[in-house]
Each structure stands twice: as structure tokens, then as C-alpha cells.
Amino acid sequence: MATRNEFPTPKNNKPKAFTQLVRQPKPAVTIAGDNDFSRGGLTPPKQREKEETQKRVEKKKVSIGRPKKDPLYTATLPQRISPATKAKLDVLQEYVTELSAVDTKVTFDVLVSALADAYVNQRLSTAKVEHFRDEFDLALKQVMGK
């Protein structure tokens, strides 16, 4: 019998060759900055201001033409009024004192807005004016939400 540390095996039995199942080794995963423990998020105020101004300068685009108005107050729909009403509004615009301060061309939208404001200020009582303004603010919020 063999010694105690050996197992009995046939004499000519060679170990079989190992066939590798995975042909390529796994790629190594590296994380950029894995040894960086600095607090890069906290920058001094002066340096932060410089970076922000550089970003603003880069983002600024030179726009040519008229400045854009608030889209909420820009007329987008065509006029759907009769020629008689259009003529009436053209003549009436000379008598509307609220439009004397307007330097630009008086558009249909500006005229109707001035007439509505004049009506609210002159014809409605104080309580109704407050109620109108509350409802108008609510309607603007709904329009902006769309």
C-alpha cells in the first residue's frame, strides 16, 4: 500500500488538459477619479463668479431685430371682425386717451386691451374690480400652465 499521504492512482494516468470555458479575460473596470477625495463642489466665491460669467458670455447670442415680447401678450390669432367694426375701432382709437402714451403702432390687440381696461376702471364698482382682477389672474395662470 502507498504511504498515508498518497492516494492510490494508476501509474500511467496523466491529468487531462484543462479546457478554458471563457476564452477572453474580463475587461478591467476603472472609474475616473476613484482616488480623488477632494471637495471639488465647493469653490471660492470669486472663482465661482468668474466661471458663471464665462458661461453667460458663452451662452449670449447676438440677436438682430426687435426684442421679443412676452408671448402671453403677443397676438397670435387673426382678426375675425366685420369691416364695420374695424372702421369703428379705427375712428374710436383717436378718442381713447389711454392710447396717447403709446409710442408704437396701435394694433387691434392694444386697442381692445385699452378699451377693456377703461371699461373695468370706469364702469365697475370697487368690489367688482377686485373680483375681476382675481379672475383675470386665475385665467392667466391657466393660460401659462398650458
Side-chain angles (χ1 to χ4, degrees), residues 15-19:
K16 294 181 181 178
F18 176 73
T19 57

Side-chain angles (χ1 to χ4, degrees), residues 120-134:
V120 167
N121 291 335
Q122 293 176 3
R123 295 288 184 138
L124 297 181
S125 65
T126 307
K128 287 184 179 182
V129 168
E130 291 175 4
H131 183 68
F132 168 77
R133 288 189 179 144
D134 291 340

